[in-house]
Amino acid sequence: MTYNAVSPKSYALPKIHKPQLAVRPIISSIGGPNTKISIFIRNILTASYNRTNPYYVRDSFEFSKTMNGLVIPDGYVMVSLDAVSLFTNITLEASKRSIIKHWEEIQPNCPMDQKHFLGLLDVVYQTTYCRFNDGFYKQQKGTPMGSEVSPILSQFVMDDLLDESIPRLTFTLLQVKKFLDDLFCLMPEDRIGEVVDVFDEFDINISFTTEVEVEGRLPFLDVLLVRENQTIITDWYTKPMASGRYLNYYSSHQLKHKLNLITGMKNRLYGICDRSKYEGSLQRLKTLLIQNSYPIRLINGIFYNSSPAVNDIINNTESSDVIVETDTQNYKYYKLPHYDQITSKIISLFKGINELRFVRRILNKLKRFVFTHLKDKEGPYNTTNVIYRIDCSTCEGAYIGQTGRRLNTRLEEHKRDTRLMRSTTGLARHTVDTGHIMNLNDVNILRKVNNHNKRLFLESAEINMCDNSVNINTDYSALSDIYCNILEMIRLRRTDNPNMTRNIEPG
């Protein structure tokens, strides 16, 4: 069940790898009304999916391991097939066919019968709507964009397509590997058209584009397949328009993140590159890291384990917040803003308390510097998880409350309590006792805080700082006296500066 859902929002991101102007439509379904149902279906299908089938590859590492050293027969070429807009072309009927076909594998993981499970899928498909520029739009066909269930449904449908289409070919495909909507095949060059025609016949809505090796080279994922003496060897591939930008060495992030970037990229190249190509790829990565301000000594120290620079840097920085994990421990996590040198020293003060864990919060996020309007913003009355203030239109009294639901839902409850003269809240009691009218049409949102316990505490703090609060004592009586001086200082600052920003979620 969900009671504070928001409408999915549509926006678009540019496809920088396309020669013509193009965008990729994105649907943000976070907090949508069908999100929990989608997650429920996804978990069942994910647990039921057969990852041992001959087409499936988990990632670039598995694909590279499978392809490296594979011999290509004479007359065969490497071909990559891409399903055009796969998610939006998998219809409800195609999804149901796959689920019915694989029900024997799905049933042990599903707590309901097939009829009701397919009914849930109907609900997800029927609620594929979104907002864009303050208008509401319905997706006409295809798996719900932005939905949790779309990727796993595409896995089932693509497997069925291959199972049914490959036996219909007049020749043998020597190799077929699938990663979501991308296929890699080895086939005779003069039979490419036949493969596309047969694959397209599986479903009128699903079609494919092809890319054939050029001069014995074909990219697939971030792996470059190279034909040398009829044998495939693998190399690292980046698209020609790749910016080459990584986390800059002088950015305001923990040093261990930067060290992990170098180590992670080195390990990635080791996992996807043939040994004959590894050193060359490593030099390309080294050039990119230098362009991102990384010291050469540091790079060489991680690449070749021959420089003391790495150990010197690691030993002199941020080791104080490394705590050995212990089993059967309930940890308490706290966020701290990251400042070089300062945050590490604060964390070191708590080093002996094993149940505490600290998460560093980066202050200079990209959204502070990029001014874009991608998604429609929720209106103030549709906002959830807020602390709000309602002023009395007759006197100087004010009511302060909090809610995890939509604000307008909570305001309707205030109106009903006032109309029925129920003294359930300080707002209703003030109206009943004095006959005053609270200004429910002009509500001030003080803060937006997702965490329930933080919201309760901050509600009490706001009530405590309000000189003319009409709240009842139980709304803030649990607040410790230890905070009185701090709250008084904040109240005085607000008095001196009425425009002081208040809607910031605390760390």
Side-chain angles (χ1 to χ4, degrees), residues 388 390 399 401-402 405 407-433 435-438 440 472 475:
Y388 58 92
I390 302 173
Y399 174 81
Q402 67 82 24
R405 296 170 294 168
L407 179 58
N408 57 7
T409 301
R410 183 61 177 139
L411 294 180
E412 288 299 322
E413 292 177 347
H414 284 312
K415 293 177 181 178
R416 183 174 63 250
D417 290 343
T418 302
R419 184 175 65 254
L420 299 177
M421 301 184 72
R422 296 173 179 170
S423 299
T424 52
T425 64
L427 181 147
R429 181 175 297 182
H430 178 73
T431 302
V432 171
D433 293 345
H436 294 178
I437 299 175
M438 302 297 290
L440 294 169
I472 56 181
D475 291 340

Side-chain angles (χ1 to χ4, degrees), residues 70-138:
L70 190 67
V71 177
I72 304 176
D74 291 336
Y76 277 70
V77 293
M78 299 182 290
V79 182
S80 172
L81 293 91
D82 179 26
V84 179
S85 302
L86 180 62
F87 284 7
T88 52
N89 285 309
I90 296 180
T91 62
L92 175 60
E93 291 71 24
S95 297
K96 285 185 173 182
R97 282 199 305 268
S98 284
I99 290 174
I100 294 171
K101 179 180 177 180
H102 297 276
W103 185 248
E104 287 187 4
E105 301 98 70
I106 297 172
Q107 188 175 24
N109 301 300
C110 186
M112 61 182 65
D113 58 29
Q114 184 185 105
K115 176 182 177 181
H116 288 91
F117 187 71
L118 294 176
L120 284 183
L121 194 64
D122 281 331
V123 171
V124 173
Y125 267 84
Q126 291 166 5
T127 54
T128 54
Y129 74 99
C130 63
R131 281 177 56 191
F132 181 74
N133 280 353
D134 295 325
F136 288 87
Y137 298 86
K138 176 75 168 62

Side-chain angles (χ1 to χ4, degrees), residues 263-276:
T263 304
M265 287 301 300
K266 172 192 172 183
N267 293 339
R268 185 166 193 84
L269 298 190
Y270 189 84
I272 66 177
C273 292
D274 180 82
R275 298 289 78 84
S276 63

Side-chain angles (χ1 to χ4, degrees), residues 172-235:
T172 301
L173 281 175
L174 293 185
Q175 189 67 251
V176 182
K177 291 298 178 183
K178 170 183 66 72
F179 186 82
L180 291 179
D181 59 344
D182 291 323
L183 299 174
F184 171 81
C185 304
L186 288 177
M187 66 182 73
E189 188 171 8
D190 59 349
R191 300 297 182 91
I192 296 175
E194 178 186 343
V195 172
V196 174
D197 290 341
V198 171
F199 282 10
D200 286 352
E201 289 175 2
F202 172 79
D203 190 306
I204 192 174
N205 298 290
I206 301 176
S207 60
F208 292 85
T209 60
T210 61
E211 182 179 357
V212 185
E213 65 174 86
V214 177
E215 298 180 352
R217 302 162 72 88
L218 178 72
F220 189 82
L221 305 178
D222 61 343
V223 179
L224 181 63
L225 303 164
V226 182
R227 181 205 293 254
E228 290 190 1
N229 299 324
Q230 297 301 105
T231 301
I232 295 177
I233 61 174
T234 56
D235 197 1

Side-chain angles (χ1 to χ4, degrees), residues 3-51:
Y3 59 85
N4 58 351
V6 296
S7 170
K9 300 177 182 63
S10 174
Y11 61 102
L13 295 177
K15 292 184 177 182
I16 62 172
H17 59 286
K18 297 291 185 181
Q20 73 278 9
L21 178 63
V23 295
R24 184 186 305 279
I26 307 293
I27 307 296
S28 175
S29 298
I30 299 174
N34 65 15
T35 298
K36 292 186 178 181
I37 297 178
S38 299
I39 293 174
F40 176 77
I41 297 174
R42 179 206 63 188
N43 291 343
I44 292 173
L45 295 181
T46 301
S48 308
Y49 182 69
N50 177 21
R51 288 173 175 76

